[in-house]
């Protein structure tokens, strides 16, 4: 029998270690320029945390990275895919990039397991059995194997977010994007979600995290990028960004959040 599953071309080949390369990215909504020349690289297995004030363009940057927002000018390369290319197949790109949002965005009328298996069945053409088996395994990984048949509204915020992470992982992405994944959670639930993200980092997942959790960024990030006024003002290892910030803007920002 032929294999009905769609194959996905890997994002990066052996001789290319930049999974993400952003070159002079500009993004405007009408007259309002939100990103004004962002340059960045993310290497295979790196964890990059993006910090910065509210309204500085963090979410817009992440949304550009998986094609949820079009690019005004500049380039974003995900491996060999150029998101600035008008003819690019965004569905193909999104097979490589998982995204987790602040507000979970689970489908309320489906069970937890159905939330997780939907895209693998529809997009990757997995059999029901393969999708379910892998879905259960992912639920085990996020500590929720007993919730497979539950409805999302019966779960706590922390559990919902862990399901959302499992759902994103079900597509076997090579990049995971997190947009303030813990900001909507009650404080006692933040730790369980950060724990799952930390385990992904330990497994070598390439990740870009927008976060207000400075302690977590300091601990888990390989690099931290501080964005303000639509550009990356300063980037470097966490010890440098938090311990020895250079720009006045970053010092000012840290004085308010630390
Ligand atoms: P952050 O995530 O850093 O808080 P955002 O990327 O959400 O910032 O927003 C940056 C700026 O872009 C804000 O001024 C916001 O109002 C504006 N913006 C974001 N999305 C849109 C949109 N779809 N249409 C118009 N303006 C937008
Ligand atoms: Mg945001």
């Amino acid at each position: 029998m032929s294999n009905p599953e769609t194959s996905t071309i890997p994002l990066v080949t052996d001789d290319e270690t930049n999974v993400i390369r952003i070159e002079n990215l500009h993004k405007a909504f009408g007259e309002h320029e939100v990103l004004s020349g962002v340059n960045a690289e993310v290497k295979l297995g790196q964890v990059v945390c993006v910090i910065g004030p509210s309204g500085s363009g963090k979410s817009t940057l992440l949304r550009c990275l998986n094609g949820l927002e079009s690019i005004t000018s500049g380039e974003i390369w995900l491996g060999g895919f150029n998101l600035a290319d008008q003819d690019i197949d965004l569905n193909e790109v999104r097979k490589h990039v998982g995204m987790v949002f602040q507000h979970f965005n689970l489908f309320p009328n489906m069970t937890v397991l159905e939330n997780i298996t939907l895209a693998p069945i529809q997009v990757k053409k997995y059999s029901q059995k393969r999708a379910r088996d892998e879905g259960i395994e992912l639920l085990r990984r996020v500590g929720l194997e007993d919730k497979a048949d539950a409805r999302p509204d019966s779960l706590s915020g922390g559990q919902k977010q862990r399901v959302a992470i499992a759902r994103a992982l079900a597509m076997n992405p090579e990049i995971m994007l997190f947009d303030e994944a813990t900001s909507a959670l009650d404080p006692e639930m933040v730790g369980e979600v950060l724990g799952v993200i930390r385990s992904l980092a330990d497994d070598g997942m390439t990740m870009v995290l927008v976060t207000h959790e400075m302690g977590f960024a300091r601990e888990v990030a390989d690099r931290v990028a501080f964005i303000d006024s639509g550009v990356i003002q300063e980037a470097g290892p966490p010890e440098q960004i938090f311990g020895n910030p250079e720009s006045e803007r970053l010092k000012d920002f840290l004085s308010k959040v630390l």
Side-chain angles (χ1 to χ4, degrees), residues 12-175:
V12 284
T13 52
D14 292 342
D15 53 350
E16 167 74 90
T17 56
N18 280 333
V19 185
I20 303 174
R21 204 171 75 238
I22 304 170
E23 286 180 11
N24 200 19
L25 173 64
H26 288 249
K27 172 64 185 176
F29 295 103
E31 296 285 286
H32 181 195
E33 188 167 77
V34 175
L35 300 176
S36 310
V38 171
N39 294 286
E41 287 174 354
V42 182
K43 296 192 183 306
L44 191 64
Q46 257 188 348
V47 178
V48 176
C49 284
V50 179
I51 62 172
S54 182
S56 57
K58 304 180 299 296
S59 294
T60 302
L61 177 62
L62 275 199
R63 292 167 59 81
C64 285
L65 282 177
N66 77 343
L68 282 172
E69 297 287 357
S70 63
I71 295 168
T72 303
S73 68
E75 292 185 345
I76 297 177
W77 289 87
L78 300 180
F81 292 95
N82 181 3
L83 291 186
D85 180 350
Q86 299 293 322
D87 298 327
I88 195 158
D89 179 355
L90 284 175
N91 287 326
E92 187 59 36
V93 171
R94 292 195 189 114
K95 288 182 193 170
H96 300 276
V97 187
M99 183 141 173
V100 175
F101 302 88
Q102 186 175 350
H103 292 291
F104 327 127
N105 300 4
L106 297 176
F107 305 114
N109 55 333
M110 295 180 189
T111 67
V112 161
L113 188 58
E114 285 165 351
N115 264 275
I116 294 171
T117 57
L118 183 71
I121 290 169
Q122 292 201 343
V123 180
K124 290 213 163 186
K125 311 294 179 202
Y126 282 11
S127 67
Q128 290 275 348
K129 178 172 176 1
R130 177 172 178 186
R132 288 184 67 87
D133 288 350
E134 291 191 10
I136 297 281
E137 185 52 41
L138 284 167
L139 282 175
R140 196 168 292 134
R141 188 160 166 192
V142 299
L144 292 172
E145 62 270 35
D146 56 331
K147 297 292 184 188
D149 298 320
R151 296 268 164 183
D153 62 9
S154 72
L155 304 180
S156 71
Q159 291 172 331
K160 283 181 194 163
Q161 195 58 300
R162 285 186 281 151
V163 172
I165 294 171
R167 181 177 62 176
L169 291 173
M171 292 293 280
N172 272 314
E174 290 145 288
I175 301 169

